[in-house]
Amino acid sequence: ELDLGRVGVSDLDFKSPLELAATRAGTVHALCGWFDVDFAPPGGPGTGEAVSLSTGPAATTTHWKQVLFLLREPVRVSEGDRLVGTFACAKSSANSRDVVVDVTYSVVAAADGKVMRAEETQRFHIR
């Protein structure tokens, strides 16, 4: 959550835990990302109507769309297997309109909790 009245440039870089569970057996080829923004009324909660913007696949289309993070190698999963790791996003030093995203993940088996795929990091440059 960011307070747009107080946020600084360095606050825009973040790293978040990532955990996704397979709802069925199959192959994971990519991860999809989008953002949701809720703008509070200028006077704070209860002083007017909040405005929401979503770029998610079920939302009204915007010019921002979604982003697809293609995995180097597809990952076979069984129902309940978990893809765990981190999602880190930072402004690009080369272009202030770009971001650099590092997705670090491993795959953990639902059956016995063992790591089925060693941790891997992929870097994506997004404009």
Side-chain angles (χ1 to χ4, degrees), residues 20-27 76-82 108-112 116:
L20 303 168
T23 58
R24 63 177 185 252
T27 304
R76 298 278 309 150
V77 293
S78 297
E79 183 177 343
D81 289 351
R82 295 176 298 120
V108 179
D112 56 14
M116 301 172 12

Side-chain angles (χ1 to χ4, degrees), residues 17-40:
L18 170 69
E19 184 165 341
L20 303 168
T23 58
R24 63 177 185 252
T27 304
V28 178
H29 294 272
L31 304 175
C32 186
W34 61 87
F35 64 88
D36 298 325
V37 180
D38 295 315
F39 296 99

Side-chain angles (χ1 to χ4, degrees), residues 54-86:
S54 176
T55 63
T60 303
T61 303
T62 72
H63 70 281
W64 284 293
K65 310 288 183 204
Q66 298 88 40
V67 66
L68 195 64
F69 300 101
L70 293 171
L71 301 181
R72 250 184 235 112
E73 295 292 327
V75 177
R76 298 278 309 150
V77 293
S78 297
E79 183 177 343
D81 289 351
R82 295 176 298 120
L83 189 141
V84 296
T86 58

Side-chain angles (χ1 to χ4, degrees), residues 3 5 13 21-22 26 35 37 73 79 94-95 97 104 111 113 126:
D3 179 344
D13 295 349
F35 64 88
V37 180
E73 295 292 327
E79 183 177 343
N95 184 329
R97 296 184 61 120
T104 301
I126 311 295

